[in-house]
Amino acid sequence: DDMLALARENQRQTGLPNVEFLKGQIEAIPLPDASVDVIISNCVINLSGDKDRVLAEAFRVLKPGGRFAVSDVVVRGSVPDEIRRSMELWIGCVAGALEEREYVEKLTAAGFAHAEVEATRIYKAEDARAFLEGAGLDAEVIGPQIEGRFMGAFIRASKPVMAELACCGSECCG
């Protein structure tokens, strides 16, 4: 409710009349099928415990040809169990991050085309030292295991248009 109030105040201050805010859950978007042109999100999907449902909902509400363009924390390779189990890190957008290959696989399984992950920042273990220690983890032990494994990334995909859905994969579909 506080975020909706802030958004509406920002809308009032900017004078944008063509903006609508809805309250809902990312796993059950309160919009009709094929009603959205673009989905934009910043570091939210990694917080969901049901990412498959999130991606299925995104696919459902997008129009054919619609675009999925999010920024999220993504993992390269495996991550120590201590980090995945830490709820404090989960809240901090780290423990719930998908591995980059898994992100693309989940988008594809949801029906998306042209799925890609583009690293925007690769984090070093030193960047997380205070965070790890604050979570009660030994930064000297965990640090080398996570070096370069976490990254901020742009994740992009699109909902196929009908011709793409029926395409056999040959060059005839262009």
PDB file of all heavy atoms in Angstrom, residues 132-171:
ATOM      1  N   LEU A 132      28.377 -10.869   3.898  1.00  0.00           N
ATOM      2  CA  LEU A 132      28.576 -12.247   4.358  1.00  0.00           C
ATOM      3  C   LEU A 132      28.777 -12.293   5.863  1.00  0.00           C
ATOM      4  O   LEU A 132      28.167 -13.102   6.563  1.00  0.00           O
ATOM      5  CB  LEU A 132      29.773 -12.884   3.648  1.00  0.00           C
ATOM      6  CG  LEU A 132      29.598 -13.163   2.158  1.00  0.00           C
ATOM      7  CD1 LEU A 132      30.936 -13.520   1.522  1.00  0.00           C
ATOM      8  CD2 LEU A 132      28.575 -14.252   1.926  1.00  0.00           C
ATOM      9  N   GLU A 133      29.640 -11.429   6.350  1.00  0.00           N
ATOM     10  CA  GLU A 133      29.916 -11.400   7.790  1.00  0.00           C
ATOM     11  C   GLU A 133      28.667 -11.023   8.573  1.00  0.00           C
ATOM     12  O   GLU A 133      28.403 -11.576   9.641  1.00  0.00           O
ATOM     13  CB  GLU A 133      31.079 -10.447   8.078  1.00  0.00           C
ATOM     14  CG  GLU A 133      32.399 -10.998   7.561  1.00  0.00           C
ATOM     15  CD  GLU A 133      33.549 -10.003   7.624  1.00  0.00           C
ATOM     16  OE1 GLU A 133      33.323  -8.799   7.940  1.00  0.00           O
ATOM     17  OE2 GLU A 133      34.686 -10.438   7.351  1.00  0.00           O
ATOM     18  N   GLY A 134      27.868 -10.090   8.040  1.00  0.00           N
ATOM     19  CA  GLY A 134      26.622  -9.694   8.691  1.00  0.00           C
ATOM     20  C   GLY A 134      25.617 -10.835   8.750  1.00  0.00           C
ATOM     21  O   GLY A 134      24.754 -10.863   9.618  1.00  0.00           O
ATOM     22  N   ALA A 135      25.739 -11.785   7.828  1.00  0.00           N
ATOM     23  CA  ALA A 135      24.855 -12.954   7.807  1.00  0.00           C
ATOM     24  C   ALA A 135      25.420 -14.100   8.641  1.00  0.00           C
ATOM     25  O   ALA A 135      24.854 -15.191   8.656  1.00  0.00           O
ATOM     26  CB  ALA A 135      24.634 -13.419   6.371  1.00  0.00           C
ATOM     27  N   GLY A 136      26.553 -13.845   9.329  1.00  0.00           N
ATOM     28  CA  GLY A 136      27.153 -14.877  10.165  1.00  0.00           C
ATOM     29  C   GLY A 136      27.967 -15.904   9.398  1.00  0.00           C
ATOM     30  O   GLY A 136      28.228 -16.997   9.902  1.00  0.00           O
ATOM     31  N   LEU A 137      28.373 -15.578   8.180  1.00  0.00           N
ATOM     32  CA  LEU A 137      29.175 -16.489   7.370  1.00  0.00           C
ATOM     33  C   LEU A 137      30.634 -16.063   7.383  1.00  0.00           C
ATOM     34  O   LEU A 137      30.946 -14.883   7.483  1.00  0.00           O
ATOM     35  CB  LEU A 137      28.649 -16.525   5.930  1.00  0.00           C
ATOM     36  CG  LEU A 137      27.199 -16.988   5.777  1.00  0.00           C
ATOM     37  CD1 LEU A 137      26.718 -16.758   4.353  1.00  0.00           C
ATOM     38  CD2 LEU A 137      27.059 -18.458   6.151  1.00  0.00           C
ATOM     39  N   ASP A 138      31.528 -17.013   7.271  1.00  0.00           N
ATOM     40  CA  ASP A 138      32.962 -16.738   7.262  1.00  0.00           C
ATOM     41  C   ASP A 138      33.377 -16.290   5.864  1.00  0.00           C
ATOM     42  O   ASP A 138      33.461 -17.100   4.933  1.00  0.00           O
ATOM     43  CB  ASP A 138      33.727 -17.999   7.672  1.00  0.00           C
ATOM     44  CG  ASP A 138      35.219 -17.752   7.826  1.00  0.00           C
ATOM     45  OD1 ASP A 138      35.730 -16.747   7.268  1.00  0.00           O
ATOM     46  OD2 ASP A 138      35.875 -18.568   8.498  1.00  0.00           O
ATOM     47  N   ALA A 139      33.627 -14.995   5.703  1.00  0.00           N
ATOM     48  CA  ALA A 139      33.965 -14.427   4.401  1.00  0.00           C
ATOM     49  C   ALA A 139      35.247 -15.023   3.828  1.00  0.00           C
ATOM     50  O   ALA A 139      35.390 -15.139   2.611  1.00  0.00           O
ATOM     51  CB  ALA A 139      34.083 -12.908   4.509  1.00  0.00           C
ATOM     52  N   GLU A 140      36.164 -15.421   4.700  1.00  0.00           N
ATOM     53  CA  GLU A 140      37.427 -16.006   4.216  1.00  0.00           C
ATOM     54  C   GLU A 140      37.197 -17.384   3.589  1.00  0.00           C
ATOM     55  O   GLU A 140      37.882 -17.773   2.653  1.00  0.00           O
ATOM     56  CB  GLU A 140      38.444 -16.108   5.354  1.00  0.00           C
ATOM     57  CG  GLU A 140      38.868 -14.782   5.936  1.00  0.00           C
ATOM     58  CD  GLU A 140      39.498 -13.849   4.906  1.00  0.00           C
ATOM     59  OE1 GLU A 140      40.267 -14.326   4.040  1.00  0.00           O
ATOM     60  OE2 GLU A 140      39.204 -12.640   4.959  1.00  0.00           O
ATOM     61  N   VAL A 141      36.221 -18.118   4.109  1.00  0.00           N
ATOM     62  CA  VAL A 141      35.912 -19.453   3.582  1.00  0.00           C
ATOM     63  C   VAL A 141      34.976 -19.353   2.380  1.00  0.00           C
ATOM     64  O   VAL A 141      35.211 -19.985   1.347  1.00  0.00           O
ATOM     65  CB  VAL A 141      35.278 -20.340   4.684  1.00  0.00           C
ATOM     66  CG1 VAL A 141      34.796 -21.663   4.107  1.00  0.00           C
ATOM     67  CG2 VAL A 141      36.288 -20.580   5.805  1.00  0.00           C
ATOM     68  N   ILE A 142      33.923 -18.560   2.511  1.00  0.00           N
ATOM     69  CA  ILE A 142      32.913 -18.454   1.456  1.00  0.00           C
ATOM     70  C   ILE A 142      33.427 -17.625   0.282  1.00  0.00           C
ATOM     71  O   ILE A 142      33.138 -17.930  -0.874  1.00  0.00           O
ATOM     72  CB  ILE A 142      31.604 -17.835   2.001  1.00  0.00           C
ATOM     73  CG1 ILE A 142      31.010 -18.718   3.084  1.00  0.00           C
ATOM     74  CG2 ILE A 142      30.587 -17.601   0.891  1.00  0.00           C
ATOM     75  CD1 ILE A 142      30.498 -20.051   2.616  1.00  0.00           C
ATOM     76  N   GLY A 143      34.184 -16.587   0.559  1.00  0.00           N
ATOM     77  CA  GLY A 143      34.653 -15.657  -0.476  1.00  0.00           C
ATOM     78  C   GLY A 143      35.219 -16.322  -1.720  1.00  0.00           C
ATOM     79  O   GLY A 143      34.757 -16.050  -2.836  1.00  0.00           O
ATOM     80  N   PRO A 144      36.208 -17.202  -1.581  1.00  0.00           N
ATOM     81  CA  PRO A 144      36.766 -17.831  -2.786  1.00  0.00           C
ATOM     82  C   PRO A 144      35.757 -18.698  -3.547  1.00  0.00           C
ATOM     83  O   PRO A 144      35.884 -18.885  -4.758  1.00  0.00           O
ATOM     84  CB  PRO A 144      37.895 -18.697  -2.237  1.00  0.00           C
ATOM     85  CG  PRO A 144      38.253 -18.080  -0.927  1.00  0.00           C
ATOM     86  CD  PRO A 144      36.972 -17.515  -0.386  1.00  0.00           C
ATOM     87  N   GLN A 145      34.737 -19.185  -2.861  1.00  0.00           N
ATOM     88  CA  GLN A 145      33.731 -20.035  -3.507  1.00  0.00           C
ATOM     89  C   GLN A 145      32.713 -19.229  -4.314  1.00  0.00           C
ATOM     90  O   GLN A 145      32.018 -19.792  -5.168  1.00  0.00           O
ATOM     91  CB  GLN A 145      32.989 -20.859  -2.457  1.00  0.00           C
ATOM     92  CG  GLN A 145      33.885 -21.811  -1.680  1.00  0.00           C
ATOM     93  CD  GLN A 145      33.104 -22.493  -0.571  1.00  0.00           C
ATOM     94  OE1 GLN A 145      32.116 -23.162  -0.836  1.00  0.00           O
ATOM     95  NE2 GLN A 145      33.545 -22.294   0.662  1.00  0.00           N
ATOM     96  N   ILE A 146      32.622 -17.925  -4.035  1.00  0.00           N
ATOM     97  CA  ILE A 146      31.644 -17.100  -4.752  1.00  0.00           C
ATOM     98  C   ILE A 146      32.301 -16.071  -5.661  1.00  0.00           C
ATOM     99  O   ILE A 146      31.598 -15.333  -6.349  1.00  0.00           O
ATOM    100  CB  ILE A 146      30.676 -16.398  -3.775  1.00  0.00           C
ATOM    101  CG1 ILE A 146      31.420 -15.403  -2.889  1.00  0.00           C
ATOM    102  CG2 ILE A 146      29.874 -17.405  -2.980  1.00  0.00           C
ATOM    103  CD1 ILE A 146      30.512 -14.443  -2.158  1.00  0.00           C
ATOM    104  N   GLU A 147      33.592 -16.014  -5.698  1.00  0.00           N
ATOM    105  CA  GLU A 147      34.320 -15.027  -6.514  1.00  0.00           C
ATOM    106  C   GLU A 147      33.809 -15.048  -7.956  1.00  0.00           C
ATOM    107  O   GLU A 147      33.872 -16.069  -8.639  1.00  0.00           O
ATOM    108  CB  GLU A 147      35.815 -15.311  -6.495  1.00  0.00           C
ATOM    109  CG  GLU A 147      36.648 -14.311  -7.265  1.00  0.00           C
ATOM    110  CD  GLU A 147      36.615 -12.904  -6.677  1.00  0.00           C
ATOM    111  OE1 GLU A 147      36.521 -12.772  -5.432  1.00  0.00           O
ATOM    112  OE2 GLU A 147      36.677 -11.952  -7.453  1.00  0.00           O
ATOM    113  N   GLY A 148      33.254 -13.938  -8.402  1.00  0.00           N
ATOM    114  CA  GLY A 148      32.773 -13.805  -9.765  1.00  0.00           C
ATOM    115  C   GLY A 148      31.525 -14.612 -10.102  1.00  0.00           C
ATOM    116  O   GLY A 148      31.136 -14.694 -11.261  1.00  0.00           O
ATOM    117  N   ARG A 149      30.878 -15.210  -9.101  1.00  0.00           N
ATOM    118  CA  ARG A 149      29.702 -16.066  -9.360  1.00  0.00           C
ATOM    119  C   ARG A 149      28.391 -15.285  -9.445  1.00  0.00           C
ATOM    120  O   ARG A 149      27.453 -15.755 -10.051  1.00  0.00           O
ATOM    121  CB  ARG A 149      29.556 -17.134  -8.271  1.00  0.00           C
ATOM    122  CG  ARG A 149      30.730 -18.020  -8.105  1.00  0.00           C
ATOM    123  CD  ARG A 149      30.600 -19.200  -8.979  1.00  0.00           C
ATOM    124  NE  ARG A 149      31.784 -20.038  -8.797  1.00  0.00           N
ATOM    125  CZ  ARG A 149      31.874 -21.233  -9.258  1.00  0.00           C
ATOM    126  NH1 ARG A 149      30.868 -21.759  -9.916  1.00  0.00           N
ATOM    127  NH2 ARG A 149      32.964 -21.922  -9.085  1.00  0.00           N
ATOM    128  N   PHE A 150      28.313 -14.147  -8.795  1.00  0.00           N
ATOM    129  CA  PHE A 150      27.081 -13.363  -8.806  1.00  0.00           C
ATOM    130  C   PHE A 150      27.238 -12.161  -9.716  1.00  0.00           C
ATOM    131  O   PHE A 150      28.292 -11.536  -9.763  1.00  0.00           O
ATOM    132  CB  PHE A 150      26.718 -12.894  -7.391  1.00  0.00           C
ATOM    133  CG  PHE A 150      26.294 -14.017  -6.500  1.00  0.00           C
ATOM    134  CD1 PHE A 150      27.187 -14.606  -5.625  1.00  0.00           C
ATOM    135  CD2 PHE A 150      24.997 -14.506  -6.556  1.00  0.00           C
ATOM    136  CE1 PHE A 150      26.799 -15.658  -4.817  1.00  0.00           C
ATOM    137  CE2 PHE A 150      24.601 -15.558  -5.753  1.00  0.00           C
ATOM    138  CZ  PHE A 150      25.508 -16.141  -4.885  1.00  0.00           C
ATOM    139  N   MET A 151      26.172 -11.872 -10.443  1.00  0.00           N
ATOM    140  CA  MET A 151      26.231 -10.727 -11.340  1.00  0.00           C
ATOM    141  C   MET A 151      24.875 -10.048 -11.425  1.00  0.00           C
ATOM    142  O   MET A 151      23.834 -10.686 -11.254  1.00  0.00           O
ATOM    143  CB  MET A 151      26.683 -11.164 -12.733  1.00  0.00           C
ATOM    144  CG  MET A 151      25.764 -12.128 -13.437  1.00  0.00           C
ATOM    145  SD  MET A 151      26.477 -12.602 -15.029  1.00  0.00           S
ATOM    146  CE  MET A 151      25.251 -13.778 -15.576  1.00  0.00           C
ATOM    147  N   GLY A 152      24.927  -8.762 -11.653  1.00  0.00           N
ATOM    148  CA  GLY A 152      23.736  -8.046 -12.052  1.00  0.00           C
ATOM    149  C   GLY A 152      23.615  -8.280 -13.547  1.00  0.00           C
ATOM    150  O   GLY A 152      24.616  -8.285 -14.259  1.00  0.00           O
ATOM    151  N   ALA A 153      22.406  -8.491 -14.039  1.00  0.00           N
ATOM    152  CA  ALA A 153      22.252  -8.804 -15.455  1.00  0.00           C
ATOM    153  C   ALA A 153      20.933  -8.284 -15.998  1.00  0.00           C
ATOM    154  O   ALA A 153      19.969  -8.117 -15.255  1.00  0.00           O
ATOM    155  CB  ALA A 153      22.321 -10.322 -15.664  1.00  0.00           C
ATOM    156  N   PHE A 154      20.932  -8.037 -17.300  1.00  0.00           N
ATOM    157  CA  PHE A 154      19.710  -7.791 -18.038  1.00  0.00           C
ATOM    158  C   PHE A 154      19.263  -9.143 -18.576  1.00  0.00           C
ATOM    159  O   PHE A 154      20.067  -9.880 -19.156  1.00  0.00           O
ATOM    160  CB  PHE A 154      19.927  -6.837 -19.208  1.00  0.00           C
ATOM    161  CG  PHE A 154      20.206  -5.414 -18.810  1.00  0.00           C
ATOM    162  CD1 PHE A 154      21.197  -4.699 -19.448  1.00  0.00           C
ATOM    163  CD2 PHE A 154      19.474  -4.780 -17.813  1.00  0.00           C
ATOM    164  CE1 PHE A 154      21.468  -3.389 -19.098  1.00  0.00           C
ATOM    165  CE2 PHE A 154      19.739  -3.472 -17.456  1.00  0.00           C
ATOM    166  CZ  PHE A 154      20.742  -2.773 -18.107  1.00  0.00           C
ATOM    167  N   ILE A 155      18.000  -9.467 -18.401  1.00  0.00           N
ATOM    168  CA  ILE A 155      17.433 -10.699 -18.939  1.00  0.00           C
ATOM    169  C   ILE A 155      16.363 -10.270 -19.927  1.00  0.00           C
ATOM    170  O   ILE A 155      15.450  -9.518 -19.582  1.00  0.00           O
ATOM    171  CB  ILE A 155      16.840 -11.591 -17.824  1.00  0.00           C
ATOM    172  CG1 ILE A 155      17.932 -12.003 -16.839  1.00  0.00           C
ATOM    173  CG2 ILE A 155      16.215 -12.831 -18.425  1.00  0.00           C
ATOM    174  CD1 ILE A 155      18.059 -11.124 -15.666  1.00  0.00           C
ATOM    175  N   ARG A 156      16.519 -10.754 -21.157  1.00  0.00           N
ATOM    176  CA  ARG A 156      15.585 -10.355 -22.216  1.00  0.00           C
ATOM    177  C   ARG A 156      15.008 -11.589 -22.897  1.00  0.00           C
ATOM    178  O   ARG A 156      15.687 -12.598 -23.054  1.00  0.00           O
ATOM    179  CB  ARG A 156      16.298  -9.517 -23.264  1.00  0.00           C
ATOM    180  CG  ARG A 156      16.842  -8.208 -22.749  1.00  0.00           C
ATOM    181  CD  ARG A 156      17.519  -7.440 -23.885  1.00  0.00           C
ATOM    182  NE  ARG A 156      18.193  -6.273 -23.398  1.00  0.00           N
ATOM    183  CZ  ARG A 156      19.480  -6.222 -23.064  1.00  0.00           C
ATOM    184  NH1 ARG A 156      20.229  -7.283 -23.175  1.00  0.00           N
ATOM    185  NH2 ARG A 156      20.017  -5.110 -22.624  1.00  0.00           N
ATOM    186  N   ALA A 157      13.770 -11.466 -23.320  1.00  0.00           N
ATOM    187  CA  ALA A 157      13.111 -12.508 -24.102  1.00  0.00           C
ATOM    188  C   ALA A 157      11.893 -11.864 -24.758  1.00  0.00           C
ATOM    189  O   ALA A 157      11.555 -10.717 -24.461  1.00  0.00           O
ATOM    190  CB  ALA A 157      12.695 -13.681 -23.213  1.00  0.00           C
ATOM    191  N   SER A 158      11.251 -12.609 -25.623  1.00  0.00           N
ATOM    192  CA  SER A 158      10.038 -12.091 -26.255  1.00  0.00           C
ATOM    193  C   SER A 158       9.012 -13.204 -26.381  1.00  0.00           C
ATOM    194  O   SER A 158       9.350 -14.384 -26.427  1.00  0.00           O
ATOM    195  CB  SER A 158      10.345 -11.497 -27.628  1.00  0.00           C
ATOM    196  OG  SER A 158      10.908 -12.476 -28.479  1.00  0.00           O
ATOM    197  N   LYS A 159       7.753 -12.787 -26.405  1.00  0.00           N
ATOM    198  CA  LYS A 159       6.677 -13.740 -26.635  1.00  0.00           C
ATOM    199  C   LYS A 159       6.536 -13.875 -28.147  1.00  0.00           C
ATOM    200  O   LYS A 159       6.355 -12.882 -28.847  1.00  0.00           O
ATOM    201  CB  LYS A 159       5.373 -13.257 -26.010  1.00  0.00           C
ATOM    202  CG  LYS A 159       4.243 -14.270 -26.159  1.00  0.00           C
ATOM    203  CD  LYS A 159       3.025 -13.857 -25.349  1.00  0.00           C
ATOM    204  CE  LYS A 159       1.920 -14.896 -25.432  1.00  0.00           C
ATOM    205  NZ  LYS A 159       0.810 -14.541 -24.521  1.00  0.00           N
ATOM    206  N   PRO A 160       6.640 -15.092 -28.654  1.00  0.00           N
ATOM    207  CA  PRO A 160       6.578 -15.259 -30.106  1.00  0.00           C
ATOM    208  C   PRO A 160       5.250 -14.768 -30.676  1.00  0.00           C
ATOM    209  O   PRO A 160       4.221 -14.818 -30.015  1.00  0.00           O
ATOM    210  CB  PRO A 160       6.701 -16.776 -30.305  1.00  0.00           C
ATOM    211  CG  PRO A 160       7.272 -17.294 -29.037  1.00  0.00           C
ATOM    212  CD  PRO A 160       6.827 -16.357 -27.957  1.00  0.00           C
ATOM    213  N   VAL A 161       5.327 -14.287 -31.915  1.00  0.00           N
ATOM    214  CA  VAL A 161       4.103 -13.989 -32.661  1.00  0.00           C
ATOM    215  C   VAL A 161       3.655 -15.298 -33.287  1.00  0.00           C
ATOM    216  O   VAL A 161       4.400 -16.275 -33.302  1.00  0.00           O
ATOM    217  CB  VAL A 161       4.343 -12.891 -33.727  1.00  0.00           C
ATOM    218  CG1 VAL A 161       4.626 -11.560 -33.061  1.00  0.00           C
ATOM    219  CG2 VAL A 161       5.454 -13.264 -34.668  1.00  0.00           C
ATOM    220  N   MET A 162       2.480 -15.356 -33.812  1.00  0.00           N
ATOM    221  CA  MET A 162       1.928 -16.614 -34.308  1.00  0.00           C
ATOM    222  C   MET A 162       2.835 -17.316 -35.312  1.00  0.00           C
ATOM    223  O   MET A 162       2.992 -18.525 -35.261  1.00  0.00           O
ATOM    224  CB  MET A 162       0.541 -16.384 -34.911  1.00  0.00           C
ATOM    225  CG  MET A 162      -0.493 -15.944 -33.876  1.00  0.00           C
ATOM    226  SD  MET A 162      -0.527 -16.946 -32.362  1.00  0.00           S
ATOM    227  CE  MET A 162      -1.286 -18.419 -32.977  1.00  0.00           C
ATOM    228  N   ALA A 163       3.466 -16.586 -36.229  1.00  0.00           N
ATOM    229  CA  ALA A 163       4.341 -17.218 -37.219  1.00  0.00           C
ATOM    230  C   ALA A 163       5.507 -17.922 -36.541  1.00  0.00           C
ATOM    231  O   ALA A 163       5.909 -19.012 -36.946  1.00  0.00           O
ATOM    232  CB  ALA A 163       4.862 -16.183 -38.213  1.00  0.00           C
ATOM    233  N   GLU A 164       6.046 -17.308 -35.482  1.00  0.00           N
ATOM    234  CA  GLU A 164       7.151 -17.935 -34.752  1.00  0.00           C
ATOM    235  C   GLU A 164       6.683 -19.192 -34.025  1.00  0.00           C
ATOM    236  O   GLU A 164       7.399 -20.173 -33.952  1.00  0.00           O
ATOM    237  CB  GLU A 164       7.743 -16.964 -33.724  1.00  0.00           C
ATOM    238  CG  GLU A 164       8.558 -15.857 -34.317  1.00  0.00           C
ATOM    239  CD  GLU A 164       9.088 -14.945 -33.229  1.00  0.00           C
ATOM    240  OE1 GLU A 164       8.264 -14.260 -32.604  1.00  0.00           O
ATOM    241  OE2 GLU A 164      10.315 -14.923 -33.019  1.00  0.00           O
ATOM    242  N   LEU A 165       5.458 -19.179 -33.489  1.00  0.00           N
ATOM    243  CA  LEU A 165       4.940 -20.326 -32.776  1.00  0.00           C
ATOM    244  C   LEU A 165       4.803 -21.538 -33.695  1.00  0.00           C
ATOM    245  O   LEU A 165       5.010 -22.660 -33.288  1.00  0.00           O
ATOM    246  CB  LEU A 165       3.576 -20.008 -32.149  1.00  0.00           C
ATOM    247  CG  LEU A 165       3.593 -19.068 -30.944  1.00  0.00           C
ATOM    248  CD1 LEU A 165       2.168 -18.692 -30.571  1.00  0.00           C
ATOM    249  CD2 LEU A 165       4.300 -19.700 -29.774  1.00  0.00           C
ATOM    250  N   ALA A 166       4.456 -21.284 -34.956  1.00  0.00           N
ATOM    251  CA  ALA A 166       4.237 -22.372 -35.902  1.00  0.00           C
ATOM    252  C   ALA A 166       5.489 -22.705 -36.701  1.00  0.00           C
ATOM    253  O   ALA A 166       5.465 -23.617 -37.518  1.00  0.00           O
ATOM    254  CB  ALA A 166       3.098 -22.001 -36.838  1.00  0.00           C
ATOM    255  N   CYS A 167       6.561 -21.988 -36.494  1.00  0.00           N
ATOM    256  CA  CYS A 167       7.763 -22.157 -37.312  1.00  0.00           C
ATOM    257  C   CYS A 167       8.386 -23.537 -37.089  1.00  0.00           C
ATOM    258  O   CYS A 167       8.539 -23.995 -35.970  1.00  0.00           O
ATOM    259  CB  CYS A 167       8.788 -21.074 -36.966  1.00  0.00           C
ATOM    260  SG  CYS A 167      10.298 -21.187 -37.934  1.00  0.00           S
ATOM    261  N   CYS A 168       8.781 -24.136 -38.195  1.00  0.00           N
ATOM    262  CA  CYS A 168       9.417 -25.448 -38.133  1.00  0.00           C
ATOM    263  C   CYS A 168      10.920 -25.332 -37.938  1.00  0.00           C
ATOM    264  O   CYS A 168      11.615 -26.341 -37.810  1.00  0.00           O
ATOM    265  CB  CYS A 168       9.131 -26.218 -39.426  1.00  0.00           C
ATOM    266  SG  CYS A 168       9.770 -25.369 -40.904  1.00  0.00           S
ATOM    267  N   GLY A 169      11.429 -24.110 -37.952  1.00  0.00           N
ATOM    268  CA  GLY A 169      12.855 -23.913 -37.747  1.00  0.00           C
ATOM    269  C   GLY A 169      13.623 -23.676 -39.022  1.00  0.00           C
ATOM    270  O   GLY A 169      14.806 -23.386 -38.997  1.00  0.00           O
ATOM    271  N   SER A 170      12.977 -23.773 -40.180  1.00  0.00           N
ATOM    272  CA  SER A 170      13.676 -23.543 -41.438  1.00  0.00           C
ATOM    273  C   SER A 170      13.725 -22.059 -41.734  1.00  0.00           C
ATOM    274  O   SER A 170      13.114 -21.250 -41.038  1.00  0.00           O
ATOM    275  CB  SER A 170      12.956 -24.292 -42.578  1.00  0.00           C
ATOM    276  OG  SER A 170      11.692 -23.694 -42.808  1.00  0.00           O
ATOM    277  N   GLU A 171      14.419 -21.714 -42.780  1.00  0.00           N
ATOM    278  CA  GLU A 171      14.583 -20.301 -43.124  1.00  0.00           C
ATOM    279  C   GLU A 171      13.311 -19.684 -43.707  1.00  0.00           C
ATOM    280  O   GLU A 171      13.233 -18.475 -43.874  1.00  0.00           O
ATOM    281  CB  GLU A 171      15.741 -20.141 -44.093  1.00  0.00           C
ATOM    282  CG  GLU A 171      17.078 -20.450 -43.425  1.00  0.00           C
ATOM    283  CD  GLU A 171      18.249 -20.138 -44.331  1.00  0.00           C
ATOM    284  OE1 GLU A 171      18.151 -19.221 -45.157  1.00  0.00           O
ATOM    285  OE2 GLU A 171      19.269 -20.831 -44.193  1.00  0.00           O
TER     286      GLU A 171
END
